[in-house]
Amino acid sequence: MRCKICQRELEKNTGECGYCGTQVKKSRIIPLLLGIVIAVIVILIVLVSLLWLKIGNLNKDSHQNEVVTTEKTEVHIDEEEKQKNIIREYMYRIKTYSLAAEGYEFDEELLNYEFVRAVNYSDGVGYILKDLNENGVPELFIVTTYEDGGYCIYDTYTINEQGIPERLFDTYSMGYRINYVIGKNNTVIVEGSGGTSHSIELYEMREDCKMQQFLYLGHETLEGDIYYKGTTYENRELCDSTEWDNIIKNYPEDDAIVCYAINDLTALETWFEE
């Protein structure tokens, strides 16, 4: 680089000419270029950081979606297996009673022997599906049927939370002089009769799938007409016949119940498709 006045060669990075004293203006091009380069580098770093953050969020969202999808799939599979188990367990019990009705060998542990006797004087045998506590799982009722549309329950089942079938009532109390039917509002009506007594008990299903009695009505004629009401037999108290009759009217039998033929498993197989 030379001095503009004396044309002498200038030393590097000098501020004036050593010969004539002329001030030398420093070039602003290099600092300017350096600033531009630095600015570009900073912008690139920011852009790369934003892009990396965006990719990380996309991967995170994708992973979360995969987890949710997997969980939904597992829940769906579990629900399907649960439904298949219910159908399988109920089908086995229905077939057990079907074999007994036809006189074949059957699983003795699953059978109410009073049913075998009742088959001889009934018009048919079948089953009822009714979701008593509205939890999506039907309860199973094995019944004998009659031409007038009536029926009598001889065995009852539900499926507990572990997927295991459980009886709602002991079978020893079903059949002879004790009639079980389904009432409105998802109740079960148990009507018993003896030589001088008549009783009505009403049950409802709790959330834990256990049956709980909530009403007892009794009528005895041994020493005149005596009427009782209460939540259970042990907690009964006297009442008059008018009150007794009015209470009965509040708990009628469910006339919309459908009894399926014991050999027709379509209703059971399609229950969860509705």
Side-chain angles (χ1 to χ4, degrees), residues 61-271:
D61 292 340
S62 177
H63 176 68
Q64 290 177 343
N65 290 336
E66 288 177 0
V67 171
V68 171
T69 302
T70 301
E71 290 177 349
K72 288 182 177 179
T73 302
E74 290 177 351
V75 169
H76 180 66
I77 292 174
D78 289 344
E79 188 65 25
E80 283 187 350
E81 288 301 319
K82 178 182 177 181
Q83 293 173 2
K84 290 179 181 178
N85 177 65
I86 294 171
I87 293 173
R88 182 170 54 251
E89 294 289 353
Y90 281 175
M91 189 175 295
Y92 179 65
R93 282 153 180 78
I94 291 172
K95 288 183 176 180
T96 295
Y97 276 92
S98 177
L99 289 172
E102 295 175 6
Y104 294 102
E105 293 183 359
F106 48 81
D107 188 336
E108 296 181 359
E109 294 183 359
L110 297 181
L111 191 76
N112 177 0
Y113 281 95
E114 187 64 27
F115 170 85
V116 178
R117 185 186 68 84
V119 168
N120 296 323
Y121 57 83
S122 66
D123 297 315
V125 293
Y127 66 95
I128 295 170
L129 296 174
K130 179 71 173 177
D131 186 359
L132 291 182
N133 62 353
E134 299 181 350
N135 66 344
V137 177
E139 278 61 58
L140 172 66
F141 302 85
I142 303 296
V143 301
T144 55
T145 58
Y146 305 92
E147 290 183 352
D148 62 0
Y151 66 92
C152 184
I153 298 172
Y154 282 89
D155 212 345
T156 57
Y157 284 97
T158 189
I159 301 293
N160 63 24
E161 293 182 355
Q162 290 72 41
I164 301 172
E166 288 185 354
R167 277 193 167 111
L168 299 178
F169 298 94
D170 291 328
T171 56
Y172 74 85
S173 65
M174 294 181 167
Y176 185 65
R177 290 195 172 187
I178 302 179
N179 187 36
Y180 285 67
V181 295
I182 299 174
K184 289 190 176 180
N185 299 320
N186 295 333
T187 59
V188 174
I189 304 171
V190 181
E191 188 169 2
S193 61
T196 60
S197 64
H198 175 216
S199 66
I200 297 176
E201 299 176 354
L202 273 84
Y203 294 81
E204 60 187 357
M205 179 175 275
R206 304 187 312 225
E207 291 184 0
D208 62 358
C209 297
K210 303 294 184 182
M211 300 303 295
Q212 179 175 336
Q213 183 179 354
F214 67 92
L215 179 64
Y216 169 83
L217 296 172
H219 177 208
E220 296 180 358
T221 59
L222 182 61
E223 299 178 356
D225 287 325
I226 303 175
Y227 295 89
Y228 298 95
K229 68 174 184 178
T231 54
T232 63
Y233 176 83
E234 292 76 12
N235 295 321
R236 69 192 188 282
E237 60 183 22
L238 291 171
C239 67
D240 59 45
S241 61
T242 301
E243 183 180 8
W244 200 86
D245 290 335
N246 287 335
I247 294 175
I248 290 178
K249 292 177 182 178
N250 291 329
Y251 299 99
E253 183 178 339
D254 189 344
D255 55 8
I257 291 296
V258 177
C259 296
Y260 303 100
I262 199 75
N263 293 322
D264 182 6
L265 299 177
T266 304
L268 175 61
E269 293 170 339
T270 60
W271 172 272

